[in-house]
Amino acid sequence: MADQVTMEVDFTHRFASGVQVRASLVQDVAPGSMLVLFGPSGAGKTTILRALAGLFEPDQGRIGLDGAVWFESSSGRFVSPQGRAVGYVAQNAALFPHLTVRKNIEYGLHGAADQRRLRTDHLVELIGLCGLESRYPRQLSGGQAQRVALARALAPAPRLLLLDEPFGALDATTRRALRSELRTVLRDTRTSAILVTHDRLEAMAMGDLMAVMVEGVIRQVGPVADVFKRPGDSAVARSLGVETVLPAIVGDVNDGLVTLRIGSGTLTAVAEAAGKTGDNVFACIRAEDVVVSGQPSAGGSARNHLTGRVIAIEPEGAVDRITIECGFELVAAITRQSREELGLGPGSTVGAAIKATAIHVVPKV
Amino acid sequence: MDWTAFWVSVRLSTATMLVLIVVGVPLAYWVAFSHRRWKFLVEAVVALPLVLPPTVLGFYILVATGPMSPFGRWYASTVGRGLPFSFQGLLVASVLYSLPFAVQPFSAAFAAVDPRLIETSWTLGVSRPATFARVILPLSVRGLVTGMVLSFAHTLGEFGVVLMIGGNVPGSTRTVSISIYDAVQALDYQAAGSTSLVLLAVSFVILAITYALQRSAWAAWPIR
């Protein structure tokens, strides 16, 4: 198996409604890794997935995988979905209602009956569906149905798995369980995947690479941490919704609080779902939750008191977004009046206080 | 009770139903999934027998299959006898007359299959014809049964078209409805009554069984 899968998606399409989608995404994807296609609802994410799956033919452009051209408007080439061998899992599981779980998983398999059976058995075990083989879809819970859909898509061993908000309709607990199972299965089967989501926590938790889509255009592509750290433009930053996202390692956990090691600094957060010591997580902090003062102080109820230097000030209406270097880069939002009263400018030394409850910890799966 | 006429009607209805499965399923598939601009024209033509008087339909079929038309002459010279006033002619007329009763429930059922299931099947590498056989058909069983029963029952009860094209040949084109009409004309109310009662009972039993199997009150009506 080749080490990297090169994906080429470059097309434009104008829908009858006037909505236009411009997708440009040429990316090497490592086997078993996941590219998250992130953006608000209606940004055109599903259009890209459908174009890759061959369920939709764009007006113009080129789509291909690893040198194979699936769609090329200039030559009129269009490979049918059957010829592309990609797995596709939709938001609702879309299981065949007249077939049992076993028959659903077996659906896309060819070859001798005993080989199909062997492959199905393997997937049933891999995805944790033992005991459900003879059930019909209507007898399954949402999470179980989604697992079957996943097993069915993986059965023919696709080069690429396309996941369109597969956890959207599930409750939080099931979602968390399925996320980590999915990551494990993809790693074990060395299947590359594209996951569409509008949930930034899901993007952080699941993604290796991330493409941000706003209003029909892919604005930025890169490793998840980089995208959150350095949004390419204000539209991307707005869609991400969180100003500071820091890769961290879980330190001590005690008394309901957790210490996060971030670069050379540490932060204290509420343990919530932080996991155990040594885990990789993201610490997310909204700019509004950072209190800035003229000098370092240890007063008040906040658990985190940091000292740093202002490295950038970006006015945004009545509010200024200031970036503080304090062992890591922290973004704070303060009113222009406050900033003027404090006399802050680039290079000023400031104190920053953050309550432990304002730090959101997202475990990396 | 005219049992000869009764069996002609049953044979005609069964043959019509079978021909309509062969002709109606592909036509219904096309109506359900085609994106052609002129699809509405085909839909209108298929639905015409719902609104046309049977005599009008019968008249055109008579003209089209009679010795005045090239088709009628070709058929007569090939087969050895003309289509009008034969069982085969009656079958052609019945198929056309019952077309909407088969095609509309079929295509409504095909169109009601969740398109995501069809697309999922394609992405799993299953061809369009195989997807039709493995996903669309099994999920359209109700509509298929409805269309078959309706076309059977509709043929069983047809009168005007038979009158126009069938003539009244006992054992060949004299159907049960014609037989009843003749009996009434001859003032033989007893024969008309018993034949009517059999037709009523048979029709009711067929529909009742269908609805009982489907357990959904008015699903049989071809609504689109």
Side-chain angles (χ1 to χ4, degrees):
Chain A
M1 191 185 285
D3 254 18
Q4 296 257 311
V5 179
T6 305
M7 188 172 65
E8 184 186 354
V9 179
D10 187 4
F11 70 84
T12 58
H13 186 82
R14 183 182 287 279
F15 288 97
S17 61
V19 176
Q20 197 174 359
V21 173
R22 275 195 295 135
S24 183
L25 182 65
V26 179
Q27 190 68 48
D28 288 341
V29 185
S33 73
M34 182 175 279
L35 172 88
V36 170
L37 191 52
F38 171 85
S41 302
K45 307 184 294 291
T46 297
T47 303
I48 291 183
L49 273 205
R50 290 177 58 81
L52 262 168
L55 297 172
F56 155 79
E57 189 173 345
D59 290 339
Q60 287 190 5
R62 222 173 109 94
I63 295 170
L65 190 77
D66 251 4
V69 179
W70 284 343
F71 165 70
E72 194 173 52
S73 56
S74 59
S75 65
R77 184 175 169 79
F78 181 80
V79 176
S80 69
Q82 288 90 345
R84 298 191 186 192
V86 297
Y88 187 81
V89 179
Q91 178 164 9
N92 73 333
L95 299 180
F96 302 119
H98 59 300
L99 300 178
T100 60
V101 166
R102 168 171 284 282
K103 291 282 178 195
N104 261 285
I105 299 173
E106 216 182 274
Y107 186 86
L109 294 177
H110 305 284
D114 52 340
Q115 276 181 341
R116 294 204 308 261
R117 170 190 293 276
L118 227 61
R119 177 75 182 152
T120 308
D121 286 342
H122 173 65
L123 278 150
V124 164
E125 203 175 308
L126 187 71
I127 313 283
L129 291 164
C130 293
L132 300 176
E133 294 98 321
S134 54
R135 290 216 194 159
Y136 282 90
R138 62 174 180 277
Q139 298 166 311
L140 300 174
S141 70
Q144 288 167 340
Q146 214 45 270
R147 278 201 183 90
V148 177
L150 191 60
R152 180 179 61 183
L154 286 171
R159 307 271 317 276
L160 183 67
L161 185 65
L162 306 174
L163 303 153
D164 193 356
E165 309 217 8
F167 314 121
L170 306 176
D171 61 85
T173 318
T174 315
R175 201 181 306 168
R176 215 170 302 139
L178 256 179
R179 272 182 200 159
S180 67
E181 277 176 42
L182 174 61
R183 280 315 314 247
T184 312
V185 167
L186 291 180
R187 243 174 248 139
D188 292 353
T189 56
R190 291 172 65 80
T191 310
S192 308
I194 302 181
L195 174 84
V196 157
T197 184
H198 65 264
D199 178 347
R200 62 167 183 268
L201 300 183
E202 189 161 285
M204 268 182 231
M206 300 287 293
D208 297 305
L209 294 169
M210 180 170 180
V212 181
M213 203 168 180
V214 182
E215 284 167 4
V217 182
I218 293 181
R219 298 291 188 105
Q220 191 174 1
V221 188
V224 171
D226 288 4
V227 172
F228 274 100
K229 195 172 177 193
R230 283 183 287 277
D233 55 46
S234 61
V236 172
R238 251 197 316 280
S239 76
L240 295 174
V242 192
E243 286 76 6
T244 304
V245 176
L246 305 161
I249 296 167
V250 176
D252 297 334
V253 184
N254 72 58
D255 220 8
L257 294 179
V258 59
T259 310
L260 303 172
R261 292 201 298 274
I262 301 163
S264 60
T266 60
L267 285 175
T268 304
V270 177
E272 294 177 67
K276 51 187 194 308
T277 305
D279 280 0
N280 284 311
V281 296
F282 282 116
C284 310
I285 305 160
R286 298 180 65 86
E288 291 80 356
D289 292 332
V290 179
V291 177
V292 179
S293 52
Q295 64 258 320
S297 85
S301 67
R303 299 297 319 165
N304 299 292
H305 297 277
L306 307 161
T307 308
R309 201 165 44 82
V310 174
I311 55 173
I313 298 177
E314 200 184 320
E316 199 173 89
V319 174
D320 287 341
R321 284 175 193 278
I322 65 173
T323 308
I324 304 164
E325 169 55 54
C326 50
F328 45 84
E329 285 179 15
L330 181 68
V331 179
I334 60 174
T335 57
R336 201 169 54 242
Q337 275 177 324
S338 300
R339 182 176 68 77
E340 281 162 5
E341 281 169 24
L342 292 168
L344 298 185
S348 309
T349 302
V350 290
I354 312 159
K355 296 172 74 169
T357 49
I359 299 174
H360 194 85
V361 182
V362 180
K364 187 84 186 146
V365 295
Chain B
M1 174 63 213
D2 187 348
W3 286 106
T4 317
F6 182 74
W7 289 120
V8 168
S9 280
V10 170
R11 264 170 55 217
L12 181 65
S13 299
T14 308
T16 303
M17 183 180 81
L18 294 176
V19 172
L20 277 175
I21 294 172
V22 176
V23 175
V25 166
L27 186 56
Y29 182 86
W30 186 86
V31 168
F33 297 112
S34 169
H35 294 295
R36 302 262 176 210
R37 276 195 194 162
W38 41 273
K39 184 169 96 173
F40 70 98
L41 293 174
V42 176
E43 288 179 287
V45 169
V46 170
L48 265 183
L50 287 174
V51 294
L52 274 186
T55 43
V56 171
L57 191 68
F59 171 75
Y60 280 118
I61 294 171
L62 191 61
V63 170
T65 59
M68 284 99 78
S69 83
F71 172 77
R73 282 198 298 276
W74 170 83
Y75 182 89
S77 68
T78 315
V79 179
R81 59 160 301 179
L83 261 181
F85 315 118
S86 73
F87 184 80
Q88 288 75 12
L90 209 50
L91 181 60
V92 170
S94 298
V95 165
L96 290 174
Y97 186 45
S98 289
L99 198 61
F101 290 82
V103 171
Q104 291 196 352
F106 290 176
S107 71
F110 297 162
V113 174
D114 187 342
R116 282 170 294 200
L117 298 181
I118 298 168
E119 291 180 347
T120 301
S121 173
W122 294 346
T123 62
L124 287 165
V126 177
S127 69
R128 282 170 186 247
T131 298
F132 178 68
R134 293 174 66 185
V135 176
I136 301 175
L137 270 188
L139 292 176
S140 305
V141 169
R142 280 181 172 212
L144 289 172
V145 171
T146 303
M148 284 159 63
V149 169
L150 280 180
S151 54
F152 183 91
H154 187 237
T155 309
L156 202 60
E158 79 183 27
F159 177 73
V161 171
V162 184
L163 200 64
M164 293 294 286
I165 199 129
N168 197 352
V169 186
S172 165
T173 65
R174 184 191 174 107
T175 63
V176 72
S177 55
I178 302 283
S179 158
I180 293 165
Y181 180 73
D182 281 352
V184 173
Q185 292 285 297
L187 297 177
D188 185 355
Y189 277 54
Q190 207 195 340
S194 56
T195 312
S196 293
L197 192 62
V198 170
L199 191 58
L200 177 67
V202 168
S203 303
F204 176 75
V205 168
I206 290 172
L207 291 178
I209 290 174
T210 314
Y211 284 126
L213 287 177
Q214 303 212 34
R215 282 165 197 266
S216 129
W218 285 101
W221 197 246
I223 298 167
R224 278 212 61 199

